[in-house]
């Protein structure tokens, strides 16, 4: 903003330029990961890069370019809300992907959710026998994605 | 220097958006498309940030905050109501 650029200005410009280029490369990496990775879970891993680190770098470059202190709280609010809301959507997408079997089991090294699902299914079977009513499979289908027990 | 940075990031983000759109087009399942549209939203937010940084204004800041607050609702809604209708379950 000063009429004559000082050395500090040059350094800040260089840092924010690096931040911008790296933040854009995060988006490119996410796109390449989306195109090349084999299943939904690994694509979700690639998709988080521009959502968190890329946005952080670009907001930091905005703050560095504007050279005013009062934009930093607004940029911080934007980033905090992104960090709070991205795990919610990732959790829901990952849960739905696991339930509808959008994954390659041979690519997993460990599946910690399987034991929980198996336990919940056994409990449901036992409950169904005790009640003597509906078939457990029918119940599971009826409960649908809102069923927290089988997919915690 | 800012013009060079603007050109480089414009090329990179255009390629990234093209990749995300290709995944939306071909993605075998609905969840792949939702994920790719999330990435496309992140890329659009990145372009808004770069516009603000290069041209030194704050016109897009409220839009960016609103995107980060409500941008997750779409994918949560789709993931909540997704159903498995595929012929071959492992084709993803």
């Amino acid at each position: 903003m000063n009429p004559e650029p000082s050395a500090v200005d040059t350094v800040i410009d260089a840092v924010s330029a690096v931040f911008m280029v790296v933040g854009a490369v995060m988006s490119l990496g996410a796109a390449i990961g989306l195109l090349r990775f084999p299943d939904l879970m690994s694509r979700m891993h690639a998709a988080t890069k521009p959502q968190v680190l890329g946005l952080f770098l670009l907001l930091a470059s905005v703050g560095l370019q504007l050279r005013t202190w009062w934009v930093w709280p607004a940029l911080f609010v934007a980033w905090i809300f992104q960090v709070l809301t991205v795990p919610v959507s990732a959790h829901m997408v990952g849960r739905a992907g696991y339930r509808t079997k959008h994954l390659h089991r041979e690519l997993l090294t460990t599946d910690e959710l399987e034991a929980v699902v198996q336990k919940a299914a056994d409990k449901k079977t036992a409950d169904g026998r005790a009640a003597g009513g509906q078939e457990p499979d029918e119940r599971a289908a009826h409960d649908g994605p809102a069923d927290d027990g089988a997919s915690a | 220097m800012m013009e060079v940075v603007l050109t480089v990031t414009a090329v990179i983000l255009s390629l990234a958006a093209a990749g995300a759109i290709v995944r939306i087009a071909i993605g075998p399942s609905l969840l792949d498309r939702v994920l790719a549209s999330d990435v496309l939203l992140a890329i659009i937010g990145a372009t808004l940030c770069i516009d603000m940084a290069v041209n030194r204004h704050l016109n897009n800041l409220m839009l960016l905050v609103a995107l980060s607050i409500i941008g997750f609702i779409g994918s949560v809604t789709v993931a909540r109501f997704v159903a498995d209708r595929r012929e071959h379950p492992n084709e993803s």
Side-chain angles (χ1 to χ4, degrees), chain B:
Chain B
M1 189 168 71
M2 279 301 130
E3 287 76 17
V4 178
V5 170
L6 184 61
T7 312
V8 169
T9 51
V11 170
I12 291 173
L13 289 173
S14 305
L15 288 175
I21 290 170
V22 165
R23 181 47 79 186
I24 291 177
I26 67 173
S29 70
L30 178 64
L31 289 171
D32 286 316
R33 294 190 171 98
V34 169
L35 193 65
S37 68
D38 263 1
V39 172
L40 191 59
L41 187 69
I43 292 168
I44 290 170
T47 57
L48 292 177
C49 277
I50 286 175
D51 178 40
M52 282 193 290
V54 171
N55 296 322
R56 294 191 176 177
H57 60 79
L58 283 173
N59 300 345
N60 302 329
L61 190 60
M62 281 303 113
L63 179 57
L64 205 61
V65 173
L67 275 187
S68 71
I69 292 175
I70 64 173
F72 75 111
I73 292 177
S75 57
V76 167
T77 309
V78 175
R80 173 68 180 73
F81 292 108
V82 72
D84 196 9
R85 295 203 191 91
R86 289 171 304 169
E87 300 283 324
H88 308 292
N90 261 334
E91 73 186 359
S92 77

Side-chain angles (χ1 to χ4, degrees), chain A:
Chain A
M1 295 288 179
N2 293 330
E4 69 279 4
S6 66
V8 178
D9 274 338
T10 312
V11 170
I12 291 176
D13 271 354
V15 169
S16 65
V18 170
F19 277 11
M20 275 189 267
V21 172
V22 174
V25 167
M26 292 289 160
S27 296
L28 186 63
I32 293 172
L34 279 181
L35 289 178
R36 287 188 53 86
F37 281 166
D39 65 346
L40 179 72
M41 299 294 166
S42 45
R43 282 175 200 148
M44 284 175 63
H45 154 70
T48 52
K49 265 68 200 169
Q51 288 174 345
V52 179
L53 185 56
L55 187 71
F56 172 77
L57 290 171
L58 292 167
L59 289 174
S61 73
V62 172
L64 288 175
Q65 282 291 312
L66 284 167
R67 311 268 207 290
T68 46
W69 62 268
W70 52 264
V71 296
W72 287 97
L75 301 175
F76 186 70
V77 164
W79 192 65
I80 281 295
F81 275 114
Q82 182 84 354
V83 170
L84 285 179
T85 56
V86 158
V88 177
S89 68
H91 172 81
M92 291 296 286
V93 170
R95 204 173 91 163
Y98 189 90
R99 287 185 69 93
T100 54
K101 298 184 178 56
H102 284 93
L103 72 166
H104 287 165
R105 264 187 201 286
E106 66 273 12
L107 295 177
L108 295 180
T109 54
T110 177
D111 185 2
E112 290 165 329
L113 190 51
E114 192 174 23
V116 180
V117 172
Q118 193 61 46
K119 198 174 153 190
D122 289 346
K123 186 168 177 294
K124 193 165 282 183
T125 311
D127 286 352
R129 285 205 186 113
Q134 284 177 297
E135 285 292 312
D137 284 342
E138 198 179 344
R139 277 190 172 192
H142 181 70
D143 284 346
D147 173 29
D148 278 304
S151 61

